[in-house]
Amino acid sequence: MLYGTGLTSRLLLGTAQYSSPAILAQAVAASGAEVITVSLRREGSGGAGFRELIAATGCRILPNTAGCHSAQEAITTAQMARELFRTEWIKLEVIGHADTLQPDPFALVEAAKELCADGFKVFPYTTEDLILGEKLIEAGCEVLMPWGAPIGSGQGLRHRDALRAMRAHFKGVPLIIDAGIGAPSQAAEAMEMGFDAVLLNTAVAKARDPVAMACAFGQAVEAGRMAHNAGLMPRRDMAFPSTPIFGMAELA
Amino acid sequence: MRLEVNGSWLEVQASTLAMLLDELGFETACVATALNGVFVARPARADTPLADGAKVEVLAPMQGG
């Protein structure tokens, strides 16, 4: 449940970097995603085609503030996105450094405060820092989106222990792993750990066959969630026979 | 007057934001606008005067992650 909206699929998909609009549309359909992220850029050619394409997916739109480096830029972008996409949902990205694409935690909280007060439903792209998460919730965010790894890196969950601590700390708060997921196994792992959803883009868009990869991610997210609900066995340091010893024949 | 529109300096006749969008041929219903870094809502464009040297951004939906 994200801001009162129930979703069947726990995969959110980005729409950038696909080889063609047709492949993008097929990948979205194959993934089962019900939420797709989009951005705002200077109006050029092809704008109309993209508008029709995203409408045709039938998905809920989550506009982002990608590339914004200050709270003010992100706030203005969010306001423009709300008018254009007619949604209060906003994926709030305030980038702290152009190379690492790491969130700027201070500007993030500042922008989140103002946007939440202005009626936005903010999905903040954040780190696994617990105090930062608390400040974002105080600001009015009802969802947190911790990074798995740096955007576009495909490294998976870089700070597993910290993410596990975050999951435990924010019981009941929807947590979406956003960014850095490179393989379906990594998405499944995030879901097994109890995260509520996964948001990714590059791993699908840059696959040799994006449509098949979208399908693989959809299934991995579902499998991971099912496994989490089923309850994973505790990890052991030593072997433990799965076949009973009792009744074993003496043949030696 | 000269304005910076989406990063390019242009000589324009328009005196309001709404007139500027018409003059430059933007699909007014499909873009969002900001003047000097501040959002200008669609209904406010006609009442938003432009001054020489103003910086205008006209944005549209695009692919994003």
Side-chain angles (χ1 to χ4, degrees), chain A residues 92-108:
Chain A
L92 181 61
E93 274 183 51
V94 189
I95 300 300
H97 192 283
D99 290 339
T100 62
L101 300 181
Q102 180 161 349
D104 174 339
F106 310 100
L108 184 65

Side-chain angles (χ1 to χ4, degrees), chain A residues 71-72 74-76 78-79 82 90 92 107-120 122 139-141:
Chain A
Q72 189 50 55
I75 290 163
T76 300
Q79 291 166 333
R82 176 164 63 179
I90 190 77
L92 181 61
L108 184 65
V109 172
E110 186 188 338
K113 261 185 203 158
E114 195 161 327
L115 289 172
C116 289
D118 191 19
F120 282 90
V122 177
C141 297

Side-chain angles (χ1 to χ4, degrees), chain A residues 14-16 24 37-44 48 50-51 54 64 72 76 79-80 83-85 91 93 199 201, chain B residues 6-7 26-27 29-34 37-43 45 55 57-65:
Chain A
T15 58
L24 162 60
T37 57
V38 297
S39 72
L40 286 184
R41 287 292 179 262
R42 287 168 171 173
E43 171 69 315
F50 184 64
R51 280 193 299 276
I54 56 174
N64 70 25
Q72 189 50 55
T76 300
Q79 291 166 333
M80 295 171 91
E83 181 182 76
L84 211 45
F85 296 107
K91 173 180 163 179
E93 274 183 51
L199 197 170
N201 188 156
Chain B
N6 286 355
F26 285 109
E27 287 180 73
C30 306
V31 293
T33 50
V38 177
F39 170 60
V40 180
R42 204 169 287 152
R45 289 174 190 162
K55 193 171 176 331
E57 291 286 346
V58 184
L59 305 188
M62 213 55 69
Q63 292 84 345

Side-chain angles (χ1 to χ4, degrees), chain A residues 6-171:
Chain A
L7 298 167
T8 322
S9 169
R10 292 174 178 270
L11 175 61
L12 295 80
L13 198 62
T15 58
Q17 307 181 73
Y18 290 84
S19 54
S20 74
I23 294 290
L24 162 60
Q26 288 171 41
V28 171
S31 72
E34 293 163 322
V35 177
I36 53 174
T37 57
V38 297
S39 72
L40 286 184
R41 287 292 179 262
R42 287 168 171 173
E43 171 69 315
S45 57
F50 184 64
R51 280 193 299 276
E52 285 163 22
L53 191 150
I54 56 174
T57 64
C59 289
R60 184 174 273 271
I61 304 298
L62 177 58
N64 70 25
T65 63
C68 291
H69 282 255
S70 71
Q72 189 50 55
E73 271 181 290
I75 290 163
T76 300
T77 303
Q79 291 166 333
M80 295 171 91
R82 176 164 63 179
E83 181 182 76
L84 211 45
F85 296 107
R86 295 183 208 92
T87 177
E88 286 163 335
W89 282 22
I90 190 77
K91 173 180 163 179
L92 181 61
E93 274 183 51
V94 189
I95 300 300
H97 192 283
D99 290 339
T100 62
L101 300 181
Q102 180 161 349
D104 174 339
F106 310 100
L108 184 65
V109 172
E110 186 188 338
K113 261 185 203 158
E114 195 161 327
L115 289 172
C116 289
D118 191 19
F120 282 90
K121 297 183 169 29
V122 177
F123 293 65
Y125 164 62
T126 182
T127 66
E128 59 283 298
D129 189 283
L130 301 182
I131 306 305
L132 173 54
E134 283 179 359
K135 298 281 180 199
L136 288 167
I137 287 169
E138 272 170 40
C141 297
E142 293 179 20
V143 175
L144 298 175
M145 300 211 296
W147 61 350
I151 296 174
S153 70
Q155 294 174 13
L157 307 179
R158 263 215 316 200
H159 305 136
R160 284 181 180 73
D161 293 337
L163 285 170
R164 209 169 276 123
M166 186 178 196
R167 177 65 284 181
H169 190 75
F170 293 105
K171 277 193 189 71

